[in-house]
Each structure stands twice: as C-alpha cells, then as structure tokens.
Amino acid sequence: MSADIIQDGDFAGWTRFERSGGNGEDGYIGLLGPYYYHSDETGQIKVAFKAEARHLNGGGTVHGGCLLSLADSSLFAFCVPYLEGGGAVTMQLDSKFLSPGHQGDILIASGRVVRAGGSVIFAEGQVTCEGKPLLAFSGIMKRTRKRGGDS
Amino acid sequence: MSADIIQDGDFAGWTRFERSGGNGEDGYIGLLGPYYYHSDETGQIKVAFKAEARHLNGGGTVHGGCLLSLADSSLFAFCVPYLEGGGAVTMQLDSKFLSPGHQGDILIASGRVVRAGGSVIFAEGQVTCEGKPLLAFSGIMKRTRKRGGDS
Amino acid sequence: MSADIIQDGDFAGWTRFERSGGNGEDGYIGLLGPYYYHSDETGQIKVAFKAEARHLNGGGTVHGGCLLSLADSSLFAFCVPYLEGGGAVTMQLDSKFLSPGHQGDILIASGRVVRAGGSVIFAEGQVTCEGKPLLAFSGIMKRTRKRGGDS
Amino acid sequence: MSADIIQDGDFAGWTRFERSGGNGEDGYIGLLGPYYYHSDETGQIKVAFKAEARHLNGGGTVHGGCLLSLADSSLFAFCVPYLEGGGAVTMQLDSKFLSPGHQGDILIASGRVVRAGGSVIFAEGQVTCEGKPLLAFSGIMKRTRKRGGDS
C-alpha cells in the first residue's frame, strides 16, 4: 500500500489503495477508483471510495457491481496481514444488499478475517455510508503462493 | 435494450446493453463496458463484454469485481421478461470463482430465472469464456415497482 | 418459547426451545433436539444443543446438516423480536464451515438481525463451541403473516 | 453405497444411502433417514427421502434444516466419483428456498459437480418434489485425504 498519507479532502488520513505488486492505478482499481485504504492501531482495515455519477446504475443509485467490486478488493485487503508474503485470490463471495448508495456517498468497506487456514482464509465485512450498512458480504480467499516467499 | 444489431467484430449479432430508462452509457455500464446483449428465439439471454487491460487486477487477471459486475447486470437482464413493466433491484448475490479471466477474453454471462414470485425473483447463471466456466452465480432480485405500470 | 428455566445440567439457565404455535416437540426440533434457548437482558438470543452420536456423519464429526439445522432454527429465533406477531420463513441461507464439531460438544448459535425490512429480514450468526467458531451463517427471512395479527 | 436395490415401495430401484466407511445407519443419516441413493447410466446421482411428521417445523412444512441436511449429504454424493479414494468435507454451502415441502412428499436432491480442482470441488443441485423445485443449493467441498489412498 502507498505510504503517502492524504492531507486533506474527503480522505484526509487515508492512503491511496494499490494492490501490492500490481497495476492498480492502470487496471481495474484505477478504472473504478481511486480507492483509499486505512488501517488503525488495532489492525482494523478499511477500503473506501466516493460514489460519482459514473458509478450509478440506470435507477440512479450505485450499481450493485460497484459495491461488489469494493467488497472483493476489501476481502483481499483484510487478508493481507495473514498472507505472510504469499498471495490470495477470491474463491467465493456472497452478499446481501441492505440499502442503496447514492452519488456523493463516501462508501467504506470494513471487516475482518474469521479464520485463516493453511489453504484458505474466511473473511467478512460490510460496506457502510455514514455508519448505515449498504452491503453485507463474506468470502473465501484461496492462498496462491507459498507463505514467506519472496514473490 | 437497444435494437441496433452490431454488424461486425467480436459482437456481431449482439446489441449494446443499456439498462432501460437509465443512464447506462454515462453510468456504471458505460464505465466498465460497453456491455453487449443477446437474446435468442428460445429466450436465452446473454450479456457480455471484452476484457481489456483496464479490467485487470494486480495479478494480471480480470478483477473479481469486474466479473461480479457482469453477473449483477445479467441477473437483472435475466429477470426483465418477468418484470411486466416493473423494476427490480438485487437483494442477494452469491458467487464462486472457478477460473481466472484474461485480457482479450470475451466474457459471456448466461443464465435463467429459477422462480419468479410475487415479490422476489430467483435467478442463476455463469460467466464463461469460450465455454469454460469462470464464475458461477445466483441471486435474488426484489421487485420494486408495480407490474403493468408505465414506469 | 417455554418459560420453564432449566435448573441444572449443561443447560442450566436456559429454556427448552419450541417454535411458537408449532409442533416443535413432535416435529423436526424434537427429532434433532432438544434445542435450548437463551435471551439475556441485552436481547442477545442463543439457541443450542448437545452433540450426540446420533448427530455424527460417517467421518465421526457433527454432520453439516446438523449444524445447518441449528443455524436455520436460530435465524428464526433472532427474528422473533422483529415479527410483531407475524411469521417468517427462510428465503435464503448461506454458510461457511470453519471447524468440525464433535460428540459431547455444546453447540451454541448466536447472532443478530442486520436489517429488518417490511417484507424481509436479514440476519447473521455463528455456531460456536466453547467460543470456537464452527459455522458462520447468514440468511434472509421472508415475513409470512401480517404484523400485529393474532395468528 | 449399499448394492442392495430396493424392490418395491416409494424407492423401488433405489439403494439405501450410507456414507462410505461411516456410521450412516447409526448416525445423522440414520436419525433423519433413511436416505436413498440412485445413480443412472449417465452418472446422474440422486439422494432422496420421504418427508414425515418428524421432519416438519412449527408451521407444518418440512423444516429448512431438513432440506439443508439432504442438500449437504447430496453435495458429498455428487463429489464421490471425483474423490479417487479420498474424502471431502463441506467448506461452504448456500441455499435458496423456493417452495415448501409437505408431509408425504418424496424429496429428491439431484445436481452435478461444476468444477473439480486439486484441493476443492464445486458442486450444485436442487431438491425437488415431483419435479417442482423446493431448494436450490451450491457448495464447495474440501478434499481431506490423499486421492488414491486406501482409506
């Protein structure tokens, strides 16, 4: 993750979210984002972005796929502290849509690892806006590279 | 859906996918897409797009959220014939990632309505590339407007 | 729920779980159970049973369906305070198996309502044994009878 | 699976379902069942049982956990041809309740393996009664023992 802490605006105190070793800025996160990342002293990880017109569906609310994209990225982020230098890909993701998101909303995904096994990691979280839950999600991540490796 | 059938290229015979009554081109589908739509004489509905560099994650494969976005849009498309002029929003979506997608892939979501009830519709589908399954998904859509309405 | 608080044994302080208005004792809960119910002053609801030989699968651990049965019954129990005299049936349930259960285990399902809407209720929970999570689950319950009714 | 084909009654042509190497008759399947098993020349596997009063919930329909128990057992049965002497346990299971079951119903779970990987197997199915879908489900099974082993 970038170490440059943002100084002002909606995401003051956050850093830009870039997937380690990847083309985050040029790839999918760059297309949908920018996404922002925050980790506090307790280890609580959050990933967020601001909903704009380009994130809306035909009904004028944030597209379900847009919330799911944040969920998927955040599942990975929750798992990073457990990867020990290895990687992970999403094996399964389920979700429940609780309330719609709107243009201008700051959408924040937070969550936790439920169980980190040797081959898979179970994690869960929710996307909220000003504390209101919009999406509840959970998933299973599959470890992809040896832990402790140099990749 | 647009009635203009594409004449050549990867999506010859398909039409551009626009969510009825919405800002598909300017909103989220415009950002990720273009998406393409196809319905045959049996009523089988397909939604598709071509994976580009902007759809990739840090690992160089199609971002999970990108596949989920197609899944979510296609769940709606599968339900349209059952809406009778009403609308629908996603209430629940679950997914399993079977194989990764790659740049240049034509990714096609197909599926079906499992049960259309009075207040919700159950649907399921999969995203494939040249017949190979990449994502299996199912969902519950909630009806949002009176059927038979003029909205 | 029965008002007779159990005085001793594994479930001292709990009550027998019977589904209101139903044939709990003679039906499925009677077959698998007895199940036990507990609600504290904060409204935290728990449903539990003790795993016996009759609950095991061929591998010698508690059968997945046995954990799912507890999960399904507890989703209903979590929702009861929100039913206002109405009923509810399970519309959707998803689950993740985190650790196996064993003969003699006291298996406790606890959880909460995530969102109570007009037609559906979202709830989630987990089954634990001595604090260790065995099953994480969430579900959508559909309201079935008018709230405030005398049914 | 038992090789003794039942000669008459509701399950003529089926065999009793016993989990290989296990205590099926004395354990959970014995408690809920008998379950019955059928595999045709195309490899289509079915697991079934007849709903009785002891399978009902307080509302007088088949308990959700009872349908989920059949689903869980059938996921394992669908995977057996892919286990090559190894074992499998349920890692994840999700379900959608489409219609209620009733006393006297012959409830049949059928389905298929979607993808058999080296460490997990994805499968899906549905529980039907006289062709009417009651429960749609899918799951991920984790391989537990070496394939080709003598266990």
Side-chain angles (χ1 to χ4, degrees):
Chain A
M1 311 293 168
S2 165
D4 297 329
I5 296 176
I6 291 166
Q7 298 302 316
D8 45 31
D10 292 321
F11 294 96
W14 296 60
T15 57
R16 285 284 286 269
F17 177 84
E18 299 173 283
R19 189 157 169 171
S20 60
N23 56 353
E25 292 306 303
D26 297 326
Y28 191 68
I29 304 302
L31 178 67
L32 263 66
Y35 277 5
Y36 299 90
Y37 173 89
H38 190 273
S39 175
D40 66 19
E41 61 278 9
T42 69
Q44 171 69 50
I45 290 166
K46 295 184 289 187
V47 183
F49 76 104
K50 184 172 186 172
E52 301 174 2
R54 64 195 169 100
H55 298 121
L56 305 184
N57 61 27
T61 59
V62 176
H63 192 285
C66 187
L67 297 177
L68 292 169
S69 295
L70 178 65
D72 186 45
S73 288
S74 69
L75 280 177
F76 177 79
F78 303 156
C79 291
V80 166
Y82 297 83
L83 295 181
E84 302 171 36
V89 295
T90 311
M91 172 187 283
Q92 187 269 347
L93 187 151
D94 55 73
S95 60
K96 294 183 171 66
F97 292 81
L98 305 172
S99 295
H102 300 94
Q103 189 172 346
D105 283 354
I106 305 289
L107 302 176
I108 302 177
S110 60
R112 67 190 184 96
V113 166
V114 176
R115 198 174 92 80
S119 60
V120 297
I121 302 175
F122 297 86
E124 64 179 23
Q126 56 182 342
V127 176
T128 59
C129 176
E130 297 184 348
K132 180 180 184 178
L134 270 59
L135 184 82
F137 59 93
S138 67
I140 306 174
M141 306 294 288
K142 181 183 178 177
R143 294 182 186 275
T144 53
R145 292 191 299 272
K146 272 206 175 77
R147 285 172 279 175
D150 59 350
S151 56
Chain B
M1 310 295 167
S2 165
D4 296 330
I5 296 175
I6 291 167
Q7 297 302 317
D8 45 33
D10 292 322
F11 294 97
W14 295 62
T15 57
R16 286 284 286 270
F17 177 85
E18 299 173 283
R19 190 158 167 167
S20 60
N23 55 352
E25 291 306 304
D26 297 327
Y28 191 69
I29 304 302
L31 178 67
L32 263 66
Y35 277 5
Y36 299 90
Y37 173 90
H38 190 274
S39 175
D40 66 18
E41 62 277 10
T42 69
Q44 172 68 50
I45 290 166
K46 296 186 290 189
V47 183
F49 76 105
K50 184 172 186 172
E52 302 174 1
R54 65 196 169 99
H55 298 120
L56 304 185
N57 61 28
T61 59
V62 176
H63 193 285
C66 187
L67 296 177
L68 292 169
S69 295
L70 178 64
D72 186 45
S73 287
S74 70
L75 280 178
F76 177 79
F78 303 155
C79 291
V80 166
Y82 297 83
L83 295 181
E84 304 172 33
V89 295
T90 311
M91 172 187 282
Q92 187 269 348
L93 186 151
D94 54 73
S95 59
K96 293 181 172 69
F97 292 81
L98 305 172
S99 294
H102 300 94
Q103 187 172 347
D105 284 353
I106 304 289
L107 301 176
I108 302 177
S110 59
R112 67 189 185 97
V113 165
V114 176
R115 200 175 90 81
S119 59
V120 297
I121 301 175
F122 297 86
E124 64 180 22
Q126 56 181 340
V127 176
T128 59
C129 176
E130 297 184 348
K132 181 180 183 178
L134 271 57
L135 184 82
F137 60 93
S138 67
I140 306 174
M141 306 294 289
K142 181 184 178 176
R143 296 181 185 276
T144 53
R145 292 191 300 271
K146 272 206 178 73
R147 285 173 278 176
D150 59 351
S151 57
Chain C
M1 311 294 166
S2 165
D4 297 330
I5 297 177
I6 292 167
Q7 298 302 317
D8 44 31
D10 292 322
F11 295 96
W14 296 61
T15 56
R16 285 285 286 271
F17 178 84
E18 299 173 283
R19 191 159 169 168
S20 59
N23 55 351
E25 290 308 303
D26 298 324
Y28 192 69
I29 304 301
L31 178 66
L32 264 66
Y35 278 5
Y36 299 91
Y37 173 91
H38 190 274
S39 175
D40 67 18
E41 62 279 6
T42 69
Q44 173 68 49
I45 291 165
K46 295 185 289 190
V47 183
F49 76 104
K50 184 171 186 171
E52 302 174 1
R54 64 195 170 100
H55 298 121
L56 304 185
N57 61 28
T61 59
V62 176
H63 192 285
C66 186
L67 297 177
L68 292 169
S69 295
L70 178 64
D72 187 44
S73 288
S74 69
L75 280 177
F76 178 78
F78 303 156
C79 291
V80 166
Y82 298 82
L83 295 182
E84 304 171 34
V89 294
T90 311
M91 173 187 282
Q92 187 269 346
L93 186 151
D94 55 75
S95 60
K96 293 180 173 68
F97 292 80
L98 306 171
S99 294
H102 300 93
Q103 187 173 350
D105 284 353
I106 304 289
L107 302 176
I108 302 176
S110 58
R112 67 189 185 96
V113 166
V114 176
R115 199 175 92 78
S119 59
V120 296
I121 301 175
F122 298 86
E124 64 179 24
Q126 55 183 342
V127 176
T128 59
C129 175
E130 296 185 351
K132 181 180 184 178
L134 271 58
L135 184 82
F137 60 92
S138 68
I140 306 175
M141 306 293 289
K142 181 183 178 176
R143 295 182 186 276
T144 51
R145 294 191 298 272
K146 271 207 178 72
R147 285 173 279 177
D150 58 351
S151 56
Chain D
M1 309 294 167
S2 167
D4 296 331
I5 297 177
I6 292 167
Q7 298 301 318
D8 45 32
D10 292 322
F11 294 95
W14 296 61
T15 56
R16 285 285 287 270
F17 178 85
E18 299 173 282
R19 190 159 170 168
S20 59
N23 56 351
E25 291 308 303
D26 297 326
Y28 192 68
I29 304 302
L31 179 66
L32 264 66
Y35 277 6
Y36 300 91
Y37 173 90
H38 190 274
S39 175
D40 66 19
E41 62 279 8
T42 69
Q44 172 69 49
I45 290 166
K46 296 185 287 188
V47 183
F49 76 104
K50 184 171 185 172
E52 302 174 359
R54 64 195 170 101
H55 298 121
L56 305 185
N57 61 27
T61 59
V62 176
H63 192 285
C66 186
L67 296 177
L68 293 168
S69 295
L70 178 64
D72 187 44
S73 288
S74 69
L75 280 177
F76 178 79
F78 303 157
C79 291
V80 166
Y82 297 84
L83 295 181
E84 304 172 34
V89 295
T90 310
M91 173 187 282
Q92 188 268 347
L93 187 152
D94 55 74
S95 60
K96 293 181 172 67
F97 292 80
L98 305 171
S99 293
H102 300 94
Q103 188 173 348
D105 284 353
I106 304 289
L107 301 176
I108 302 176
S110 59
R112 67 189 185 98
V113 166
V114 176
R115 199 175 92 78
S119 59
V120 297
I121 301 175
F122 298 87
E124 64 179 23
Q126 54 182 341
V127 176
T128 59
C129 176
E130 297 185 349
K132 181 180 184 178
L134 270 58
L135 184 82
F137 60 93
S138 67
I140 305 175
M141 306 294 288
K142 181 183 179 175
R143 295 181 186 277
T144 52
R145 293 192 297 271
K146 272 206 177 73
R147 284 173 278 175
D150 59 351
S151 56

